[in-house]
Amino acid sequence: MMPSLSSPDRLIFFVNGRKVIEENADPEVLLLYYLRKTLRLTGTKYGCGGGGCGACTVMVSRYNPKTKKIHHYPVTACLVPICSLHGAAVTTVEGVGGIKTRIHPVQERLAKCHGTQCGFCSPGMVMSIYTLLRNHPEPTPEQITEAIGGNLCRCTGYRPIVESGKTFCGQSTSCQMKGSGKCCMDQEESDFDKKTEKICTKLYNEDEFQPFDPTQEPIFPPELIRMAEDPNKRRLTFQGEKTTWLMPVTLDDVLELKASFPKAALVMGNTTVGPSIKFKDAFYPVFISPLGLPELHFSDITDGGVTIGAGYSLAQLSDALHFIVSEQPEEKTKTHHALLKHLRTLAGAQIRNMATLGGHVVSRPNFSDLNPVLAAGNATLNLRSKEGERQIPLNGHFLEKSPEADLTSEEIVLSVHIPYSTKWEFVSGLRQAQRQENAFAIVNAGMSVKFEDGTNTIKDLKMFYGGVSPTVVSASETCKELIGRQWDDHMLSDACRLVLAEIHIPPDAEGGMVEYRRTLIISLLFKFYLKVKRGLSKIDPQKFPDIPQEFTSALEEFPIETPQGLQMFQCVDPRQSPQDPVGHPVMHQSAIKHTTGEAVYCDDIPPVADELFLAVVTSTRAHAKIMSIDTSEALAHPGVVDVITAEDVPGDNNHNGEVLYAQNEVICVGQIVCTVAADTYTHAKEAAEKVKIAYEDIEPRIITIEQALEHNSFLSVEKKIEKGNVEQAFKHVDQIIEGEVHVEGQEHFYMETQTVLAVPKQEDKEMVLHIGTQFPTHVQEFVAAALNIPRNRVECHMKRAGGAFGGKVNKPALLGAIAAVAANKTSCPIRFVLERGNDMLITAGRHPLLSKYKIGFMNNGVITAADVEYYTNGGCTPDESEMVMEFIVLKSENTYNIPHFRCRGRPCKTNLPSNTAFRGFGFPQAAVVVEAYITAVANQCNLLPEEVREINMYKTINKTAYKQEFNPEPLRRCWKECLEKSEFHARKLAAEEFNKNNYWKKRGLAVIPMKFTIAIPTAFYNQAAALVHIYLDGSVLVLHGGCELGQGLYTKMIQVASRELNIPSSYIHTSETSTVTVPNAVFTAGSMSTDINGKAVQNACQILMARLQPIIRKNPKGKWKEWVAKAFEESISLSTTGYFKGYQTNMDWEKEEGEAFPYFVYGAACSEVEVDCLTGAHKLLRTDIFMDAAFSINPAIDIGQVEGAFIQGMGFYTIEELKYSPKGELYSRGPDDYKIPTVTEIPEQIYVTLVHSRNPIAIYSSKGLGEAGMFLGSSVLFAIYDAVTAARKERGLTKTFPMNSPVTPELIRMICVDQFTDMIPRDDPSTFTPWSIHVS
């Protein structure tokens, strides 16, 4: 029930030093929405809405009247209810610094260290590092890494972000490798000097940074100190539309309210209640928020242990435990150590600073990392209610939510008591997740054992597991059975058998990975067994022998190291004019705006008068007839203006096979059926949930490639290339192997979700769109077709996108048309921003692929025949699937010259959302198959895969399988340098030595070569145009058809114009890409945007310079401005278009030959990993990348592209896993269940070298490097397979095994077959329907 109220209180807090008074604070309003929509502070970004990406990080500061200290901490604004901020000060990126006021050193250094590309994550990164500096003005590198662990970046690969943070660290931050003080690359630099070209390693100049003075930060508002110290504080009440927020100020008041409203949510950090409201439709009419109560905020150390107040955040808990561990002997603090280990990787810094100990313990999530450890350590809960105090044990009954062991509805947790451990007691926390940090555990455990003093006889044993059932479970029966037993191998095998019998994970369990989770239950138990044996041996080595030496590495967790590296590129010729920026590592032209939050993205555009918000209603069936759509309830909802369906589309609802609104039938889960337009997004979303659609399923429902092949369901005809005589060649080989490779898909996870602002004009049916896209022309085409108007009535404006990676080539056209139809129907501007979950569901991603190969080879490793088939899962409409398959077939040889080669491919039509373009465009899936069969051949011949690569690689000028001539010399250089400079052979020997001495951990290395292509085999797709204006003050405006997605295209275009016009970059501005200024522009994709737009800008500038030439000749010593003024006086036009006809590529699929691509980009990468065979975890130790850049126009941007693509590729091949239900519903709809790399996944050491070569066909002899690095991420995949092969060899298993992608922890663990994988129960697949399936 809702409390009855007289009048609500005023909410008072500060934002960036300014007082905010909210008379009608609504408990449902979250800080992110309030900042962006009410205060119009748009620097704080929406990335996921669930606290999982860090894009909305801000700093909250509070004054503690007890300690008289100010506490600064980072939070994710998307989870913070504004009502919780009473008396707090909020600092956003705008409050840290800005271009108009003063840029803060954090913002400056992140920009100048090239730590920003698309810029959408940058404000969050700034706030995480800034908050750290407010608490630790001279942080350690480890603190920097920890501070940004909760922030995702999809562009940079993190290294430059960490580097910018490290400039604030006390000691030197350059790569003084391994403490020797000598740089590992010094030797090689001197080698380079002997040649003609000099190698540079500095991408920025630290001397340019303004000094950081921690004393200059804004003061905490004195008014808030007075408010906090007010002795007459009283309970506050905030009343919203549907909910009430009560803020008690005494413990008695809390208990009084809990008695009155037993069902009320007790909210502190809102990290549990918030997501349950947002994603699980939970509803709480009353919130009680006892923030800042001293009775809940304390840490009390006694003889028996430590008691921590339930209001402590997990970050404060960590600080308290660190203090205890430093003060007390180790044998007493085993539980505290175990908790600290898990607190380091639990969520990110923001969530750890918001979530409280009490909230975490009481909510009892089944994935909790802390509760199993607390239970194993005999923790107790101190409870309070109006009735009084009582203690309950934090044990299995409590964690399994048994009613008799639970809190009553009127009780709250006051504190948690964590007792000390004893000498003969051991406590451990163990976990395995998809990613080391900021990821829910797949399985975790808390275990403790107590021995009879002086023996290894079990006196007490506790085992708690998370992730194996709907609650944390206790293996109490197993523990009972083992009491009195000796801690030995017999006990271990019985324990494994017993615990598997006791903890049953049903075969169709939610979350899937059933056999893996069963294996982890006993693998983690084995790790605990070893830890305890090691512990006993330390107490008395005579009595208790130590574990075998080769087992010791199983005890060590992978450390979280601060990444370091070196970037090498060609120095600029000293004879080049100092004002010519070409070849210099110039900072991204929007970088400072990114880091100050002043860069305007689509949803940052201020509200337009009468604008409405659009929410989507999507299909819940994969293939069904729409029987009826009932919109009556939705239309009656407050604020709703209209519901838009297929009937409302004036023109084409199906344009080129792409359907806007589903009509009569739905063809995938996630297809848009209708949209709701309302005055706020909340109203639109609530109404969308009230639309009722009746379906009737249609057969067949095709989800996987195998199902498509059964039903002969394809999107295009077969594409094929063939050379030599494959059938004949197979008759003359020593060996033939056949195999298949599955490569799963990938989500783009651009940080800015798809966003459209559609504004209908008053006259002539004109429509203006502001949209984040890679292809404005395509948006224009779809909108014109949908509205049945000519294209000249549709304007598309594109300033910048917060990442795209191919996902904004085709999809924005569809979404833009949907918004335009709504704007047309309602005659109001429409703001259409997809929530992350809908974005992932609707827009799909990279094509999953199935390949079947047959390879014929000689015993010496020479491959003479290959027959390869490729099938992709294209989804339900054509999109780019046919072109992706053409690229796959054309690029399917990678770097290998196989004389008899046949490749065929076909995209499958399925009932999944349509897959689309994604960085690398098919090549990252296709080439992994090539390297898989190379590795399989190497295994058969007892050779290193690198030897087989070398043997079969193109070596001299030759022709591809489709008869295009090329010179592989740069490939050979990249390959040779990669092997030498990475010290591959020496490190390979060292890894073999490591593997000999370690049974449960293995190291692996792989070197992967690459021959990549840029541009499109259809010539007209390679054309570009530009428009350049010179104004009378000498300033220049450069416009072109390319879109700025974070790849630095605008920056490079300014560099081109600066060189061509021979003026400083500061004279040149580039504003936006628009269909008004440059019509009919092709897509910004295929790594060719600098190539083609650069040529167009160059052409325009050269035309203008030719016009100015007579004036310059007359006055050669004049200034640019004088020449421009004179030209105007002489009526010489100072504006022109520039044009580039495009690379004249072609491909004849009938003849199977053509000049398909203008040139090739070569590269090679070496990666080294360490794998934990017991859990499937891996650690990337080092990566060396050698990329043939020819001549780099901007080494900072190019290296940023290479590193960013590499990390994105590494994610694709390892931890990024999309899960679908057997009915075709995507489960992975946000950062909680789709894991892209964080800062902890990147290589501990990363070395990138841009190799110099010539490429006269392209502008300034450069090469397009936007996508090439993606495939080099597969060096991590093959390094993991190398490590796994070593493990399998030692265990006497076959050398060849399926090499699929991604190689997740689950896959690694289950391929490393051992006694534990043999022990688990297996289910007959025909007896159950699995929770999730693979769709490749």
Side-chain angles (χ1 to χ4, degrees):
M1 62 168 247
M2 289 268 279
S4 55
L5 292 174
S6 45
S7 67
D9 290 298
R10 296 161 78 192
L11 173 68
I12 298 172
F13 61 105
F14 277 68
V15 175
N16 299 335
R18 296 177 65 172
K19 187 175 181 179
V20 175
I21 300 174
E22 188 55 58
E23 300 288 351
N24 300 303
D26 187 336
E28 291 185 281
V29 171
L30 298 165
L31 177 60
L32 176 61
Y33 177 87
Y34 192 81
L35 290 172
R36 291 184 60 82
K37 300 296 180 196
T38 307
L39 302 181
R40 297 285 322 131
L41 293 169
T42 54
T44 309
K45 304 297 182 209
Y46 165 82
C48 71
C53 75
C56 64
T57 304
V58 298
M59 181 175 86
V60 172
S61 309
R62 292 184 189 272
Y63 175 78
N64 182 337
K66 200 167 89 178
T67 60
K68 304 271 189 270
K69 283 199 177 125
I70 293 157
H71 175 48
H72 306 288
Y73 58 99
V75 301
T76 49
C78 66
L79 288 180
V80 177
I82 54 167
C83 292
S84 69
L85 292 168
H86 185 77
V90 175
T91 307
T92 70
V93 70
E94 291 93 343
V96 172
I99 292 168
K100 290 185 187 135
T101 50
R102 181 187 72 103
I103 300 160
H104 191 279
V106 172
Q107 297 167 321
E108 178 198 34
R109 295 181 194 188
L110 183 62
K112 288 184 176 169
C113 292
H114 314 289
T116 160
Q117 287 183 24
C118 85
F120 205 77
C121 76
S122 304
M125 292 288 179
V126 165
M127 293 315 301
S128 287
I129 298 171
Y130 174 76
T131 309
L132 172 68
L133 293 180
R134 289 299 299 266
N135 292 317
H136 302 278
E138 265 205 11
T140 62
E142 291 68 41
Q143 285 174 315
I144 299 282
T145 312
E146 187 169 349
I148 60 170
N151 295 70
L152 298 180
C153 169
R154 196 52 156 163
C155 297
T156 64
Y158 300 101
R159 182 212 41 88
I161 299 173
V162 174
E163 213 162 277
S164 77
K166 276 162 65 176
T167 62
F168 295 99
C169 298
Q171 72 281 24
S172 151
T173 59
S174 62
C175 127
Q176 303 295 327
M177 291 299 292
K178 302 290 171 239
S180 67
K182 268 180 57 196
C183 175
C184 58
M185 292 291 166
D186 282 350
Q187 180 52 47
E188 289 165 25
E189 269 205 49
S190 57
D191 291 352
F192 279 118
D193 290 342
K194 292 171 199 158
K195 298 181 199 161
T196 47
E197 57 189 56
K198 190 155 165 27
I199 296 297
C200 283
T201 58
K202 276 181 85 87
L203 289 169
Y204 53 88
N205 183 0
E206 291 198 14
D207 301 338
E208 284 180 18
F209 299 160
Q210 51 172 325
F212 169 54
D213 181 354
T215 63
Q216 295 303 298
E217 299 299 352
I219 62 159
F220 186 77
E223 183 180 340
L224 294 181
I225 297 179
R226 289 195 297 277
M227 274 171 64
E229 292 187 330
D230 177 7
N232 306 319
K233 274 190 288 202
R234 57 173 185 83
R235 177 202 298 177
L236 297 179
T237 305
F238 305 116
Q239 180 70 58
E241 212 178 307
K242 294 180 285 195
T243 57
T244 306
W245 186 279
L246 302 166
M247 220 171 141
V249 290
T250 65
L251 182 58
D252 288 342
D253 198 12
V254 178
L255 303 174
E256 189 67 51
L257 288 170
K258 200 73 179 103
S260 310
F261 306 107
K263 289 214 169 87
L266 205 61
V267 175
M268 299 285 272
N270 202 41
T271 55
T272 300
V273 172
S276 74
I277 294 171
K278 194 170 282 186
F279 302 116
K280 296 183 181 155
D281 296 326
F283 176 68
Y284 303 94
V286 183
F287 299 99
I288 301 170
S289 180
L291 284 163
L293 285 190
E295 294 90 340
L296 298 176
H297 289 81
F298 67 91
S299 133
D300 195 6
I301 300 172
T302 60
D303 293 345
V306 58
T307 304
I308 309 266
Y312 257 28
S313 71
L314 298 183
Q316 289 168 320
L317 169 67
S318 177
D319 292 342
L321 293 175
H322 272 295
F323 175 74
I324 290 150
V325 162
S326 67
E327 294 284 302
Q328 298 288 341
E330 199 172 332
E331 66 176 42
K332 289 174 75 173
T333 57
K334 291 169 194 164
T335 308
H336 309 77
H337 273 286
L339 289 167
L340 278 171
K341 182 171 75 84
H342 281 185
L343 280 165
R344 171 60 185 89
T345 55
L346 191 151
Q350 298 91 326
I351 299 295
R352 292 198 291 272
N353 275 282
M354 296 160 71
T356 57
L357 173 60
H360 184 88
V361 165
V362 170
S363 59
R364 284 165 283 184
N366 70 331
F367 49 77
S368 163
D369 284 338
L370 304 184
N371 287 350
V373 177
L374 288 166
N378 290 313
T380 50
L381 302 181
N382 298 313
L383 310 180
R384 266 296 278 282
S385 69
K386 272 179 77 178
E387 311 304 310
E389 285 194 39
R390 69 182 183 116
Q391 275 80 37
I392 60 169
L394 199 166
N395 59 12
H397 295 305
F398 171 76
L399 294 176
E400 288 162 13
K401 301 188 180 176
S402 314
E404 73 281 356
D406 213 340
L407 287 73
T408 67
S409 59
E410 297 180 12
E411 281 179 317
I412 67 162
V413 176
L414 207 55
S415 59
V416 179
H417 176 70
I418 308 166
Y420 289 136
S421 49
T422 60
K423 181 176 177 180
W424 294 95
E425 182 181 3
F426 298 91
V427 186
S428 251
L430 306 123
R431 76 191 297 270
Q432 178 55 39
Q434 190 81 350
R435 182 173 76 190
Q436 193 171 5
E437 181 174 17
N438 198 9
F440 295 137
I442 296 166
V443 173
N444 57 20
M447 301 185 185
S448 66
V449 62
K450 201 180 257 178
F451 295 108
E452 303 285 357
D453 285 6
T455 71
N456 69 346
T457 307
I458 301 170
K459 184 178 177 182
D460 189 29
L461 180 61
K462 289 188 167 65
M463 293 196 283
F464 298 92
Y465 284 99
V468 295
S469 134
T471 65
V472 171
V473 291
S474 162
S476 48
E477 295 303 312
T478 302
C479 295
K480 231 183 276 174
E481 192 105 356
L482 296 170
I483 286 176
R485 294 280 299 267
Q486 247 64 84
W487 195 260
D488 56 24
D489 291 1
H490 291 305
M491 184 283 304
L492 173 69
S493 58
D494 285 351
C496 291
R497 193 173 42 76
L498 290 165
V499 76
L500 283 172
E502 182 171 3
I503 298 178
H504 171 65
I505 308 176
D508 57 355
E510 191 181 327
M513 302 189 279
V514 172
E515 292 185 353
Y516 177 43
R517 288 194 280 169
R518 289 171 181 165
T519 306
L520 281 177
I521 289 176
I522 50 176
S523 297
L524 296 181
L525 172 56
F526 176 59
K527 282 196 167 219
F528 178 61
Y529 170 76
L530 291 179
K531 280 182 180 180
V532 173
K533 273 194 87 91
R534 161 59 59 96
L536 286 169
S537 157
K538 274 188 178 160
I539 297 176
D540 187 345
Q542 287 347 99
K543 202 166 176 186
F544 307 114
D546 198 357
I547 60 174
Q549 189 55 42
E550 65 273 17
F551 279 22
T552 52
S553 60
L555 304 178
E556 292 147 25
E557 305 283 325
F558 287 131
I560 296 178
E561 301 282 357
T562 304
Q564 36 182 229
L566 204 58
Q567 304 77 46
M568 287 161 275
F569 55 96
Q570 183 193 357
C571 298
V572 171
D573 187 326
R575 292 165 302 202
Q576 184 172 312
S577 152
Q579 76 166 23
D580 178 355
V582 172
H584 287 282
V586 178
M587 176 175 76
H588 192 291
Q589 53 102 31
S590 289
I592 298 284
K593 286 184 282 186
H594 292 159
T595 61
T596 59
E598 290 165 279
V600 177
Y601 297 82
C602 203
D603 192 36
D604 300 338
I605 296 170
V608 188
D610 304 325
E611 75 174 18
L612 300 174
F613 293 82
L614 209 57
V616 290
V617 179
T618 55
S619 160
T620 55
R621 306 286 179 90
H623 194 193
K625 208 158 128 195
I626 299 174
M627 306 307 287
S628 65
I629 302 175
D630 177 2
T631 60
S632 53
E633 258 189 83
L635 286 164
H637 193 76
V640 170
V641 173
D642 215 334
V643 175
I644 299 96
T645 65
E647 311 294 320
D648 300 310
V649 181
D652 294 356
N653 184 47
N654 178 332
H655 185 62
N656 299 347
E658 306 297 325
V659 182
L660 306 188
Y661 289 97
Q663 202 164 9
N664 306 324
E665 69 163 3
V666 291
I667 48 177
C668 68
V669 175
Q671 187 177 6
I672 294 173
V673 179
C674 60
T675 55
V676 178
D679 60 347
T680 67
Y681 181 68
T682 305
H683 284 153
K685 190 182 171 187
E686 287 168 351
E689 284 164 9
K690 294 183 172 179
V691 174
K692 293 184 173 64
I693 304 169
Y695 299 102
E696 194 176 274
D697 283 334
I698 303 174
E699 289 299 323
R701 180 177 62 211
I702 300 170
I703 308 300
T704 66
I705 293 176
E706 267 110 343
Q707 290 166 351
L709 295 179
E710 269 167 44
H711 288 93
N712 225 4
S713 175
F714 298 104
L715 285 164
S716 81
V717 297
E718 181 177 87
K719 304 288 171 177
K720 172 168 103 56
I721 52 170
E722 186 166 356
K723 72 170 180 179
N725 187 332
V726 176
E727 305 307 332
Q728 204 51 39
F730 275 124
K731 295 175 183 165
H732 303 287
V733 294
D734 292 341
Q735 296 187 54
I736 292 177
I737 50 169
E738 296 189 48
E740 61 177 51
V741 177
H742 292 261
V743 182
E744 291 301 313
Q746 185 180 20
E747 159 60 31
H748 299 95
F749 214 95
Y750 29 68
M751 293 301 292
E752 175 199 35
T753 59
Q754 302 270 357
T755 307
V756 188
L757 178 61
V759 185
K761 289 295 189 196
Q762 300 282 310
E763 44 191 324
D764 300 329
K765 296 189 176 172
E766 287 181 331
M767 184 68 70
V768 178
L769 289 100
H770 297 272
I771 185 163
T773 177
Q774 296 172 251
F775 199 178
T777 305
H778 200 48
V779 178
Q780 183 188 39
E781 174 193 341
F782 266 66
V783 170
L787 299 182
N788 199 17
I789 54 176
R791 292 197 199 183
N792 63 3
R793 310 293 164 86
V794 181
E795 283 180 32
C796 284
H797 298 271
M798 159 61 189
K799 178 108 178 146
R800 59 170 62 84
F805 315 114
K808 294 177 182 174
V809 176
N810 277 358
K811 302 300 181 183
L814 207 63
L815 298 165
I818 283 167
V821 167
N824 179 66
K825 187 184 183 191
T826 59
S827 302
C828 292
I830 293 285
R831 193 175 288 258
F832 184 24
V833 182
L834 283 185
E835 286 191 59
R836 177 64 63 187
N838 280 334
D839 190 302
M840 291 180 74
L841 175 69
I842 294 165
T843 65
R846 188 183 292 283
H847 288 72
L849 174 138
L850 164 64
S851 174
K852 303 178 181 191
Y853 63 76
K854 179 181 177 185
I855 310 296
F857 56 99
M858 311 314 278
N859 290 334
N860 62 0
V862 173
I863 299 172
T864 53
D867 190 358
V868 189
E869 287 173 55
Y870 287 111
Y871 301 98
T872 57
N873 192 326
C876 58
T877 65
D879 202 286
E880 299 272 19
S881 294
E882 183 171 5
M883 201 199 276
V884 168
M885 185 49 80
E886 289 178 2
F887 273 54
I888 285 174
V889 171
L890 289 172
K891 301 183 184 200
S892 59
E893 59 177 19
N894 194 13
T895 56
Y896 306 109
N897 184 8
I898 300 171
H900 306 279
F901 180 81
R902 177 165 62 212
C903 175
R904 291 168 288 182
R906 242 183 135 176
C908 298
K909 184 178 184 178
T910 62
N911 296 115
L912 286 178
S914 239
N915 285 306
T916 187
F918 198 139
R919 197 177 204 165
F921 210 70
F923 180 73
Q925 301 99 297
V928 91
V929 176
V930 181
E931 299 303 333
Y933 64 66
I934 292 278
T935 307
V937 168
N939 284 336
Q940 292 300 110
C941 299
N942 282 325
L943 293 167
L944 282 181
E946 285 68 24
E947 292 171 322
V948 175
R949 291 186 176 110
E950 174 79 48
I951 290 165
N952 292 287
M953 202 180 287
Y954 280 107
K955 296 187 178 65
T956 52
I957 292 176
N958 212 315
K959 286 187 173 177
T960 63
Y962 49 90
K963 303 185 180 58
Q964 179 171 348
E965 191 176 282
F966 72 103
N967 181 357
E969 191 272 331
L971 164 67
R972 304 292 303 157
R973 269 179 58 206
C974 288
W975 174 252
K976 189 168 164 289
E977 285 199 20
C978 188
L979 287 169
E980 282 172 16
K981 302 251 165 70
S982 70
E983 300 164 318
F984 169 74
H985 291 289
R987 284 167 55 210
K988 181 76 183 154
L989 288 172
E992 283 167 9
E993 190 57 30
F994 176 91
N995 293 343
K996 246 188 256 159
N997 299 327
N998 293 278
Y999 189 79
W1000 297 110
K1001 285 232 176 96
K1002 297 292 175 195
R1003 285 192 178 166
L1005 283 94
V1007 184
I1008 300 290
M1010 173 191 70
K1011 169 165 89 15
F1012 189 71
T1013 61
I1014 82 126
I1016 311 292
T1018 312
F1020 66 79
Y1021 277 137
N1022 301 324
Q1023 63 181 306
L1027 175 61
V1028 177
H1029 302 315
I1030 302 174
Y1031 294 94
L1032 293 183
D1033 62 353
S1035 66
V1036 175
L1037 180 65
V1038 173
L1039 300 158
H1040 52 83
C1043 298
E1044 177 58 59
L1045 316 164
Q1047 84 284 41
L1049 176 64
Y1050 280 17
T1051 312
K1052 286 184 174 178
M1053 294 306 99
I1054 291 171
Q1055 288 176 277
V1056 170
S1058 169
R1059 168 175 279 191
E1060 294 299 333
L1061 299 174
N1062 196 15
I1063 56 174
S1065 302
S1066 56
Y1067 286 25
I1068 304 165
H1069 179 59
T1070 168
S1071 63
E1072 65 165 13
T1073 300
S1074 155
T1075 54
V1076 179
T1077 51
V1078 179
N1080 314 321
V1082 299
F1083 36 69
T1084 301
S1087 302
M1088 65 182 181
S1089 306
T1090 297
D1091 288 48
I1092 63 172
N1093 292 295
K1095 287 273 197 189
V1097 169
Q1098 181 184 43
N1099 175 242
C1101 292
Q1102 286 174 351
I1103 291 168
L1104 290 168
M1105 284 308 275
R1107 290 179 191 168
L1108 290 172
Q1109 217 46 54
I1111 288 166
I1112 297 171
R1113 269 202 299 273
K1114 281 182 202 160
N1115 178 13
K1117 292 212 161 80
K1119 296 262 191 324
W1120 168 256
K1121 285 181 187 173
E1122 294 163 25
W1123 298 333
V1124 169
K1126 189 71 179 147
F1128 183 70
E1129 285 167 24
E1130 295 194 10
S1131 304
I1132 293 172
S1133 167
L1134 293 170
S1135 169
T1136 187
T1137 57
Y1139 184 67
F1140 174 54
K1141 188 178 178 185
Y1143 295 124
Q1144 296 308 295
T1145 53
N1146 62 80
M1147 180 64 204
D1148 185 331
W1149 285 99
E1150 295 292 300
K1151 293 185 183 164
E1152 300 178 18
E1153 62 181 70
E1155 291 287 313
F1157 302 102
Y1159 61 83
F1160 298 92
V1161 176
Y1162 306 99
C1166 171
S1167 289
E1168 179 176 7
V1169 299
E1170 192 173 312
V1171 164
D1172 184 334
C1173 305
L1174 280 169
T1175 59
H1178 79 271
K1179 185 76 184 161
L1180 178 49
L1181 303 174
R1182 175 173 164 180
T1183 292
D1184 297 74
I1185 298 172
F1186 291 80
M1187 185 66 82
D1188 155 41
F1191 170 79
S1192 171
I1193 293 175
N1194 185 329
I1197 280 174
D1198 286 342
I1199 286 170
Q1201 287 299 294
V1202 171
E1203 285 186 348
F1206 174 84
I1207 298 299
Q1208 202 172 50
M1210 177 201 79
F1212 167 52
Y1213 295 118
T1214 57
I1215 57 174
E1216 294 185 34
E1217 189 176 20
L1218 289 165
K1219 304 235 164 146
Y1220 295 87
S1221 80
K1223 292 185 172 177
E1225 180 189 350
L1226 177 68
Y1227 292 131
S1228 322
R1229 294 196 202 173
D1232 278 1
D1233 31 35
Y1234 183 76
K1235 297 297 173 193
I1236 71 170
T1238 64
V1239 68
T1240 41
E1241 269 65 49
I1242 73 171
E1244 289 179 6
Q1245 297 172 43
I1246 180 164
Y1247 302 107
V1248 179
T1249 304
L1250 297 184
V1251 178
H1252 184 217
S1253 64
R1254 288 187 50 68
N1255 189 32
I1257 188 174
I1259 184 155
Y1260 306 148
S1261 189
S1262 63
K1263 286 194 174 185
L1265 301 181
E1267 301 170 279
M1270 187 94 202
F1271 168 64
L1272 295 180
S1274 70
S1275 60
V1276 181
L1277 175 102
F1278 289 103
I1280 290 172
Y1281 278 127
D1282 185 46
V1284 166
T1285 304
R1288 289 177 60 89
K1289 197 168 148 192
E1290 188 171 32
R1291 290 152 178 67
L1293 300 158
T1294 54
K1295 280 186 285 190
T1296 34
F1297 51 92
M1299 290 191 213
N1300 296 326
S1301 170
V1303 57
T1304 57
E1306 174 184 21
L1307 195 56
I1308 295 171
R1309 178 63 189 103
M1310 300 318 282
I1311 309 173
C1312 293
V1313 179
D1314 56 29
Q1315 64 264 44
F1316 301 112
T1317 51
D1318 290 344
M1319 214 183 261
I1320 61 161
R1322 311 266 172 164
D1323 301 285
D1324 174 353
S1326 63
T1327 59
F1328 67 95
T1329 303
W1331 177 77
S1332 74
I1333 56 168
H1334 286 144
V1335 297
S1336 66

